[in-house]
Structures are given as C-alpha cells and as structure tokens.
Amino acid sequence: QGSYGRAIPLALFWVAAQSALYGYIHVNGLGQPIANHLPLISLFFLIVLVFAVNPLLCRAWPHRRLTTTELTVVWVMVSASASVPGYGLMEFIFPYIAAPLYYATPENQWTKLLFPHLKEWLYVSDPKAVRDFWEGLSPGDTIRWGAWLRPGAFAVGLGLAFFFTVGCWSVIVRRQWIERERYAFPLVQVTYELTHTDPGGRGLQATFRSPIFWIGVGIGLVPHLMRGLHRMYPVMPNFQTHFPLNAYFPNRPWNALVTNWPLYPRVFMSVIGVTYFLQLDVALSLCVFFLVYKLQQVAFSAFAVTAISTQQQVMGA
C-alpha cells in the first residue's frame, strides 16, 4: 500500500534536479551519472530515501514511512526520465533541428539541394535563434522561444515515439526472457531489494542490516570512491580499478584487438563481479560475439580495409 500523493511529487522533484545537474556535470567532464544502464544519479536519490529518509521516518513517525509501492513509483519515474537528458537523446535531437540553417554554406549548396525537401517545422528557420543556440546569447538578448516551438515539439514527439517503440519491444520479448529463459536481470535485482521495505517497520531489510553485506559494499565502493576523489583532488591516492591490455598487443594487425572504438578490451573488476549473476548462455553469447567482432577488426587491419563502420554491431549485445 502507498500514497501516490507523496511519491509523485518526490519523483518529480528529483527528475527536475537530475536533469538540471546532468548538464553541468557532463559539460564539466565530471562523469556520466545518467548515461548507463543503472543511472547512478537516480540510484543515489533512491539510496538517500532508503538509508536516510525512511529510517528517520520509522523512528519518528512510523505510520508515515515510505512504503514499497511509493519507493517503486519513485524509482520507475526517476530512472525512466534519466534517459531523456543523457547524451544519447537530448544532446543530439536539438542540435539536429538547429543544424541545417547554421551549417548551410555556398560550398555545400544545402539551400538548393536540401532545403526544398525540408518542411519548415522540421528545423529552426529563424537565423537569429539558430545563431544564439550555437554561439550563445548576446548581452541583453532573450531566447526566441517562438522559433523553437514547432520544431521542438516535433523533436520531443520523435523522442517519445522512440521510447514507446522500446516499450513495445520489451513487451514482445518479455515472455521469452522472463518466463521461459528466466533471466536474472542483475541490475533490476539491485533496485528490487532497495525498494522493498522491511515488513516489520524497521526501515531496512535484513540484507542491509548484515555486516557481511556492508563489508562487501566497502570492498567495491572504496576503490571507486578514492578514484573519483583522485580525479578531482590529485593529492588523494588513486586505486586501479581497470587494467588496459594495450601493452600486450603493440603491433599490427593484432593491435586492432585493443585500439578500435567502441569496444576497448579492459579488465574491469566491477564488471567481473556483475557477470557472476548472468545466465551462462548470456555470458557465453557476449564473449563469443565480442571476440568475433574484435577478430573482424584484426582482419580489416591486416588487409588495410578502411572506411567500414562496424560500431553498430555492438547493439546486438
């Protein structure tokens, strides 16, 4: 049981906060708190609710503690919205609709070749609004919202259509993956444990009251925490959390195993830990097709084959 009257305002507050913070964090190169399969900035908010807010409520006002339903609603809203401001969506959509007019030059002849085939509501057609977007506002100027209204609505609608498509795809594969294959979904298990409160009213489940659990958390957390602090404050000690393999393949064509983007072979201790929770067929599939992909890069390098884009093959994983 739970009240959506508390859960929804809480979630909307953090949706706005993480959307605003992400721009600053990303532009200043402080990491990718959203752009991953378990958005850390969203997980941080859930951890605050579970380990700080809820225990205090259980002590002071037990009947007002956050329930499993409320925490689940908060997590679903916050984690789903985390994919919007990330560099995989908004970083591309709005530059796309502002690009045609700005990058049109006499040399590329976009005015004659491209613009006759574009509807005006597909892109920002106000030269001043486009220039302000790419070069910044002049002192005293304001954003020309009217110029962005129609193309912005189209871009947002297109983004929502992508989300709807992914949702439909998830429904299609749900029965095979969940009911037949019974995949464990390790990242889902993390938030499942966090959102399910202790039925005894003590705030934390037995798992989170176990000293062994916190020892394990410390082993994984401390090296990454120190690494992050070292990046911001070099005086702090640094912990090596991953190990590149470049030194073992210095020459062509085998250096293609360790140099070609987007898959750089490295030994990540945290990833090894997650793989313990994967089904055997999933882990085998990832390893086999990863090796096939890298050997393909070696073959291209050996025969000097260029101008072939293979990065989208990783989407199969």
Side-chain angles (χ1 to χ4, degrees):
Q1 300 295 324
S3 170
Y4 295 136
R6 289 193 304 173
I8 293 178
L10 269 175
L12 291 177
F13 161 75
W14 192 249
V15 167
Q18 73 179 7
S19 299
L21 288 170
Y22 176 75
Y24 173 82
I25 293 172
H26 180 54
V27 169
N28 289 276
L30 299 178
Q32 296 292 351
I34 288 180
N36 48 61
H37 301 293
L38 187 66
L40 297 182
I41 195 170
S42 303
L43 186 64
F44 170 77
F45 182 59
L46 181 62
I47 289 175
V48 170
L49 293 179
V50 172
F51 291 104
V53 175
N54 229 19
L56 290 176
L57 291 176
C58 287
R59 289 179 178 274
W61 303 283
H63 62 286
R64 300 294 296 171
R65 73 181 190 274
L66 295 169
T67 64
T68 297
T69 300
E70 290 173 319
L71 290 172
T72 302
V73 169
V74 169
W75 171 249
V76 169
M77 292 180 62
V78 170
S79 61
S81 64
S83 57
V84 176
Y87 69 78
L89 185 64
M90 286 301 175
E91 187 172 336
F92 293 109
I93 282 185
F94 283 96
Y96 280 162
I97 63 176
L101 196 64
Y102 187 77
Y103 286 100
T105 64
E107 291 78 15
N108 60 35
Q109 299 184 21
W110 281 7
T111 304
K112 296 180 180 179
L113 300 177
L114 183 63
F115 281 66
H117 303 286
L118 293 179
K119 302 293 185 181
E120 287 194 359
W121 48 267
L122 284 174
Y123 66 97
V124 181
S125 56
D126 185 331
K128 180 67 166 59
V130 171
R131 188 168 59 254
D132 289 343
F133 176 82
W134 291 105
E135 301 177 8
L137 290 172
S138 302
D141 284 353
T142 57
I143 298 175
R144 299 195 175 193
W145 296 107
W148 288 89
L149 186 59
R150 294 178 67 188
F154 165 75
V156 171
L158 183 63
L160 292 175
F162 278 120
F163 278 103
F164 179 73
T165 302
V166 172
C168 294
W169 179 60
S170 300
V171 172
I172 292 173
V173 300
R174 180 196 62 81
R175 177 171 297 178
Q176 178 67 27
W177 286 2
I178 296 177
E179 298 181 9
R180 298 175 183 172
E181 304 290 347
R182 295 190 179 276
Y183 288 147
F185 300 105
L187 298 183
V188 175
Q189 299 302 319
V190 174
T191 53
Y192 176 85
E193 294 292 337
L194 287 171
T195 55
H196 281 67
T197 56
D198 177 41
R202 288 172 290 183
L204 296 177
Q205 291 195 67
T207 301
F208 301 126
R209 297 196 301 269
S210 168
I212 296 178
F213 171 80
W214 289 108
I215 291 173
V217 169
I219 292 174
L221 179 64
V222 170
H224 289 277
L225 178 62
M226 297 302 297
R227 185 174 176 83
L229 291 173
H230 173 79
R231 183 175 179 181
M232 300 179 67
Y233 309 102
V235 68
M236 299 294 294
N238 186 25
F239 279 79
Q240 189 73 12
T241 58
H242 65 275
F243 304 91
L245 303 177
N246 303 55
Y248 300 101
F249 302 95
N251 303 316
R252 288 187 59 188
W254 296 104
N255 64 344
L257 288 172
V258 294
T259 56
N260 285 331
W261 187 88
L263 295 179
Y264 297 104
R266 297 177 182 178
V267 177
F268 279 88
M269 306 308 296
S270 56
V271 174
I272 293 175
V274 172
T275 57
Y276 276 96
F277 299 96
L278 289 180
Q279 296 280 15
L280 181 60
D281 55 350
V282 175
L284 178 63
S285 176
L286 291 173
C287 291
V288 168
F289 284 99
F290 175 79
L291 290 175
V292 170
Y293 175 82
K294 299 308 293 185
L295 290 174
Q296 174 185 259
Q297 300 297 321
V298 171
F300 287 160
S301 177
F303 292 98
V305 178
T306 59
I308 294 181
S309 177
T310 58
Q311 72 176 77
Q312 300 305 330
Q313 291 183 18
V314 303
M315 297 179 68

